[in-house]
Amino acid sequence: MSGGRVRRLLLGAAAPVLALVAAILITSLVLLVAGDPVLDTWSTILSAPRERNVANIINNATVLYLSGLAVAVGFRMNLFNIGVDGQYRIAAFAAAVVAGEAWLPGYLNTVLAIVVAMAVGAAWAGIAGLLRATRGVSEVISTIMLNFISTSLVAFLLRKAAVRAPGSNSINTKEIPEGSRIPGIPFGGGVVEIYGFVVLAVLSGLAYWFVLNRTRFGFDLRATGQSTTAAVASGINVRRMIVIAMLISGAAAGLVGLPILFGDAYSYGSTFQSGLGFSGIAIALLGRNHPVGIGLGALLFAYLNEQSNPLQILVGVSPEIVAITQGVIVLTVVVSYEVVRRYRRRLEQQAVAAATDRPERPAPTEEVAT
Amino acid sequence: ACGSSGGSDSSGSGSGDGLKVGMAYDVGGRGDQSFNDSAAAGLDKAKKDLGIETQESEAVDGEAESAREERLRTFADAGYNPVIAVGFAYSASVAKVAKEYPDIDFAIIDDEEAKGDNIANLVFAEEQGSFLVGAAAALKTKSNEVGFVGGVETPLIQKFEAGYVAGAKAVKPDITVDTTYLSQPPDFSGFGDPAKGKTAAQGMYDKGADVVYHAAGGSGGGVFEAAKSANKLAIGVDSDQYKTVDASLRSVILTSMLKNVDVAVYNYLKSASEGDIPTGVRRYDLKVGGVDYSTSGGQVDDIKSKLDDYKQQIIDGKITVPTKP
Amino acid sequence: MSAPAVARTPAPRVRRRSPYTYLAVVVGLLVAVSLLEVVTGADDLTSSGTISATLVATVPIALAALGGLWSERAGIVNIGLEGMMILGTYGAGFFGYHYGAWAGVLGAILLGMVGGLIHAVATVIFDVDHIVSGVAINIIALGATQYLASRTFVGLPGGGSTQSPTIPSLPSLTIAPVSDGLQGLEQRNVFVISEVAAVVRALTTNLSALTVIGLLLVLVTYLVLWKTTFGLRLRSCGESPVTAESLGVAVLRYKFVAVLISGAMAGLAGGFLAMVASSNYRDGQTGGRGYIGLAAMIFGNWRPGGMLAGSGLFGYTQTLGLRSGRDSVHALLLAVAVLALAVAVLQLRRRHVRAAIGFAVAGVVVGAVYFAIDEVADDFTRMTPYVITLLVLGLFSQRLRMPAADGESYRKGSAG
Amino acid sequence: MASVETPSRSDAPPAVRLRGIGKRFPGVIANDDINIDVARGTIHAIVGENGAGKSTLMKILYGVQPPDSGTIEIDGAAVTLGSPADAIKAGVGMVFQHFMLADNLTVAENVVLGAERLHGIGAAAREEITRISGSYGLGVDPDRLVEDLGVGARQRVEILKVLYRGARIVILDEPTAVLVPQEVDELFDNLRELKAEGLSVIFISHKLDEVLSVADEITVVRRGTTVTTVDPAGVTARQLAELMVGSELPSPSTESSTVTDEVLLSVRDLTLPDPAGGRPLVDGVSFDIHRGEVLGIAGVEGNGQAELVETIMGMRDGATGTVELAGTDLSGRSTGQRREAGIGYIPEDRHRHGLLLDSSLWENRVLGHQTRRPSVSHGLVDRAAARADTQRIIEAYDVRTPGPEVPARALSGGNQQKLIVGREMSGDPVLLIAAHPTRGVDVGAQAAIWDHVKNARRNGLAVLLISADLDELIGLSDRIEVILRGGLVGRFDPSEVTPEDLGSAMTGAGSDAPREEGSP
Ligand SMILES: Nc1ncnc2c1ncn2[C@@H]1O[C@H](COP(=O)(O)OP(=O)(O)OP(=O)(O)O)[C@@H](O)[C@H]1O
Ligand SMILES: Nc1ncnc2c1ncn2[C@@H]1O[C@H](COP(=O)(O)OP(=O)(O)OP(=O)(O)O)[C@@H](O)[C@H]1O
Ligand SMILES: [Mg+2]
Ligand SMILES: [Mg+2]
């Protein structure tokens, strides 16, 4: 029994390790073919990050984690929310405006802004949910369209809402007052602090896990994701679930930009980080929609991003090389999990067969008629 | 102000020897046919003339603020001094990192917001150069209609638009100026989508414009192509694009608005190598030759005197060019 | 022996439409747009410039959509179209610059196929979830091209880490007598006649060889997929791979080939962007057109004709937005308002009162907006293609039918 | 072992000779030392309980799966069948247990697929299809979409596919499971015609009476091995069953009536319009079911019984009419609320509607009971309680599984079905809707399920039973209603009616029922 458990644990760990090694090999091959220094590249990427880099990695992972969660909520219900990107940008913008106006004092203002961000993200995603539930429009298309629309919409609104510092060429919303910012967690006395928001991200992960795995609602959501038809027959209102799942996904997406907003940028502007929603897709897939897996995926992506940044300066290699690594990891992880899954399934099958083959059937009798 | 960093480890006074310069480009980097390239040209010239050591790095699209900061820190940690950041996207990061490294000098292009004792802000009067090419367009148009294609609708590009429109109207008050932008921030694809540039310019030519000015970075190639197939004229931006475009497109380039980032970079490094690192805002306008219009191809030869007249009026302050459309 | 008398008689559905139906639709549209133009005075709606720009905007989307079609007809969802397109733009830039225009086309196809190959190996051989593979390909392709560009284009004349040098251009066709001859007619603004003249002019002015090839590929795809043995087998793999396998079709091989062709199409779409829509590789040039292609394919109900219509609608609205967007898109508002009111009447006749009210309100609101403003701000003209796509899908989406086994994993030996 | 003499042409080599066929799946021996001879021009039946290995054997003969051991001879020549293509070339054709048709392709496309070389894919192929269809009286229209066809017609398309390829050996895996008696008769006529033309037919069925009536020889397979081959003339169904499972052939006989006066389910004027605009799918259906009563619904597949059930369950939009359960009006309530009101539901398609195949058994126990104890309380899933209750079901219903943690997919069909029955019986329903509760389930499991239904009925449950198995209907029901084109058209007393009578009523024979397709 315990031997089997150890084997299972080993198997579970083997898959990601295998995937990582394969990804490193493939990336090295590309470097080699292109004539870039392979060893220098890896020694830079794999060197121990400094404290401030660790803080950056955690910060970026926080953001990516939220994005991965937002995507994963949809995935658990077989909804492919490509629109996290648009949702978080429009939500972060709304939150920045609200927080910048500071209608409420101090942290009340922060809470209000967070609520607004979640509501706006949810509403934006809800459009896709409604279209899917009432008109059968594939959420893949509608969220892609909504991404583009949100880009133009935010641009338009930003220029209406923007205040511009003299001499600045970027346009930003009003700065969030000091009292409403979320203080960072000092880290190693370094120059970079860890976003205080990381706490909220962890809580989000816990909530995700609890709601999906322990509550009736989560059960309904997962059941709908596995089989719509079975869900309908079991009494789940699938249309409502679609809308709700999209709303939750959108609300989670609404949080994505907030660590940056409240911990670093303090306003939304034209240089606000974009593309986080797409990384979220890869990370959710990488983490297999599991809250811990997503966390590891987010850390891995953040680590690779951070460590590749100085490549160009230090060894003259374009940092885009790690995108290859990241993409390949997404693939190889799935392949190795699949291999392990098949192996496990075989074990299960054997167990079932053993149970089924209880020798209760009579021994073959001779023929009765000739 | 130079005193604060004058004694820093790497910039010896009077000689460029040992000066290690780090340059952090915006997205696009060297070879973007736009202002990154122009900055690179200044760096190359400084390297050749001043015998300095250089290292470059460029931004990745959609990267985190921390990535920009980290890029600057990596330069600083590796002993590069000064560090030049190309583009206003670095504004916040320069302001932040410069505080962490008081002994290292930073320069930022296109931004006045990042302030500090060890920060030089190299900014340009794009509206003034644009005014001149606007005037050129108005002088050359036969249809009394000209166009402007902006890459991304940022305040920076709007300066180009404002100057261009003012210049055209100064020549012909009743002129029609069509303007459009290819994308709005945070979507910066308008600087890299020649197909869109082409379509937008084509629309203007079809409507009757016969000169179109682009401030659209890499999308500008599309504008030239549209001009070529419509057999009309276009105006380049940032560098003398007559010299860099494909030979087949040269005939359509009336002039280019020169934004001499290379000059700014070179001057900055030259001062640095002489031990006199500039800090604070340094505005490159018509007066100091920071912006200008180009004459290669000879298509503006006949109106050169008129343009130079406008130029003088701006330098003399008789004409104030607006910076907002 | 006679067929059993079983009481079950659903009428066979009418699925085949005659070519005349399509012709009627096209003519109808032309008349409608002409009418709109007359009413609103937005005369860029049907200028030959708009139409030829629409062609250029349409073809890459249509090619990407074709890529999706090939793959999904064989049962493999291809969300990696964007990545394959990106590879195509790089292929066109690299091979086009070094070896000439047609080599660029081949290079685009080839690199697109590399993307297709990864997808095929992952999904067909390793049975990886199609979405996962597609997403990974998008990441890899973007990173790989950026990385390769910085290795291969820096230092070349006009090249850099984000763009290739200019690619030599492909031959293009201009029939000057027709083009110039019709110019007058087009500009005279004769109802419908001028519009037809504009279309003919667009087709005879500066028409790139690749545009023609792209359009032909739509036709070829239709013929191959629906009129040949190969196509029948390929489609059967998307509808019911176990059935195909039980009849001796080498399902995996067909899927593999289909995904390769899909990559080739998407690559060509990228090549088109780099070589016809512009003249060099640019980082970020695809701008999400791969996703739009996917949308166009779904929009077109997984059929070449519909997919072309979807791409065309997209290309057209995008072009309008970029050209004289403020007027043209303004005019479209009126069209949308009228359409919504028409649908409202239709819904009322079907006794869907709530829907009817919804559409009527929407129609009135949009109509009011039309009359309240004179032109549409740029931000909103840029949204047009996306909003229109959403609107159209919202109105018509429920009849779509994707290949029955699309996206499902399939392993050999699972028949029975 | 072996027994019967090959009927007439004993000198000629058999059409198929299987020797020592073995096939293992991970943990399962599906086939082990199978030996069968099929003489030319005969119908050879193969019987055996669920999972005995019949389908596996046929897939081996059709080249879908390679055998681990053993030899195959066709017409005396040893062959290796690496793929269905090889088998087709060798003259073998197969109609699978689950139809192998692409719904969105036309009949013609389905038929020519893979055999395009014969007559192309155009007019010539269509002509050939029409010819074959005519000469065997299959009545198949090449231009219709398969999705528009009913089960019987699909079956004939499958046979046409085989004939089109010029097969000399035709395998039919459980072809009669979904057919009504008349359709079965038609099919058997077809088979005899094939036989007369010199084709060999291999025929698999769980319905032993049928087997006895049509086969020339019967081979019994038990636990992967051929037990014996018998002459149908010399055995009874009971003897056959004993050969298969070693136990008695159960029959769904009703005990004394337990029907009471108390109406539990009352359905009035239930109508479900066709979203596509055709005639209503359910057309003004009214009936009552009393406490302790089993109401059977007979009908040819596709006549609205599935829709009727789904409408009662509240799974369909746009229905009109009323559904009252124990005096409570359920119209307008959601499926979930209806379940809570006390409806248990055994769906027709257990894989699509009954189970989450990739979830554990205990999670499947929760399914459909998300609002009720013991599996859920206060909005939280009570995992321990759900597991415990699953264990109870496993024991009470003899679900063969190592435990409640395995995914449902790992269970065989019969065991999956027992789990569903157990689940739906828990929570003390007042009404059980059972759609084809024993379809594809072997005799042992079938008997167990019947027993559970009978017990529940004795305890006052009302049951709405839908089944294509007329013996099951007649045996279990207290009353039978016949559904035709969405409406109830006849009422029968199961103690008096024969399957043939029912079959006539189901097909609307004697009435003005339109024929499915133009028949020759
Ligand atoms: N693809 C497979 N993988 C693993 N095991 C399989 C597979 N196919 C069949 N089996 C096993 O082989 C056994 C024989 O299955 P088979 O389908 O041949 O039974 P059968 O006699 O046709 O049963 P039924 O009467 O229910 O159709 C099954 O019980 C199953 O355990
Ligand atoms: N493709 C497959 N891969 C793995 N296992 C399979 C596969 N197909 C069938 N099995 C296994 O075979 C067993 C029985 O399969 P199957 O559905 O043929 O059962 P059965 O006894 O024939 O039931 P039914 O009554 O539904 O015909 C199950 O344990 C199932 O997990
Ligand atoms: Mg079976
Ligand atoms: Mg079977």
Side-chain angles (χ1 to χ4, degrees), chain A residues 82-106:
Chain A
I82 303 188
V84 169
D85 214 64
Q87 289 147 22
Y88 92 77
R89 283 187 276 116
I90 201 165
F93 168 77
V97 170
V98 168
E101 292 299 334
W103 288 307
L104 296 178

Side-chain angles (χ1 to χ4, degrees), chain B residues 29-49:
Chain B
R30 183 185 276 272
D32 75 338
Q33 310 276 305
S34 188
F35 76 123
N36 282 307
D37 231 5
S38 193
L43 188 70
D44 289 345
K45 185 163 187 285
K47 191 173 177 179
K48 208 173 80 204
D49 293 0

Side-chain angles (χ1 to χ4, degrees), chain D residues 207-229:
Chain D
K207 298 183 182 170
L208 302 181
D209 294 335
E210 284 173 13
V211 170
L212 290 171
S213 80
V214 74
D216 297 314
E217 284 179 287
I218 303 172
T219 295
V220 179
V221 178
R222 192 193 314 161
R223 299 175 73 187
T225 313
T226 37
V227 180
T228 181
T229 299

Side-chain angles (χ1 to χ4, degrees), chain B residues 33 58 179-181 206 225, chain C residues 49 161 163 279 323 326 382:
Chain B
Q33 310 276 305
E58 73 192 53
T179 62
T180 195
Y181 288 86
D206 285 347
E225 279 169 33
Chain C
S161 63
Q163 67 178 16
S279 57
R323 285 170 64 99
R326 291 162 206 164
R382 299 297 180 272

Side-chain angles (χ1 to χ4, degrees), chain B residues 264-323:
Chain B
V265 168
Y266 181 80
N267 287 348
Y268 174 79
L269 290 176
K270 190 157 190 302
S271 312
S273 71
E274 285 158 3
D276 177 29
I277 287 232
T279 58
V281 176
R282 183 94 173 82
R283 181 174 306 281
Y284 287 85
D285 55 12
L286 274 180
K287 196 185 324 187
V288 302
V291 293
D292 209 339
Y293 69 96
S294 71
T295 56
S296 338
Q299 298 219 48
V300 288
D301 288 354
D302 51 337
I303 54 174
K304 193 164 184 321
S305 58
K306 287 185 185 148
L307 294 181
D308 288 343
D309 186 37
Y310 281 118
K311 186 173 173 178
Q312 199 53 50
Q313 290 190 46
I314 295 171
I315 291 172
D316 296 345
K318 288 184 193 140
I319 295 178
T320 313
V321 185
T323 56

Side-chain angles (χ1 to χ4, degrees), chain D residues 96-162:
Chain D
F96 287 83
Q97 186 170 358
H98 307 283
F99 292 150
M100 288 289 174
L101 293 169
D103 280 1
N104 200 22
L105 301 185
T106 62
V107 168
E109 285 175 322
N110 268 286
V111 172
V112 302
L113 180 62
E116 302 88 348
R117 219 168 287 158
L118 297 177
H119 307 280
I121 62 171
R126 294 240 298 283
E127 220 162 84
E128 176 69 7
I129 292 170
T130 317
R131 189 189 68 73
I132 298 177
S133 169
S135 69
Y136 289 93
L138 296 175
V140 166
D141 173 0
D143 288 326
R144 288 187 59 174
L145 274 184
V146 164
E147 71 178 348
D148 295 334
L149 300 183
V151 209
R154 283 173 189 233
Q155 183 120 56
R156 293 196 297 279
V157 174
E158 287 280 25
I159 294 174
L160 209 153
K161 271 163 65 179
V162 171

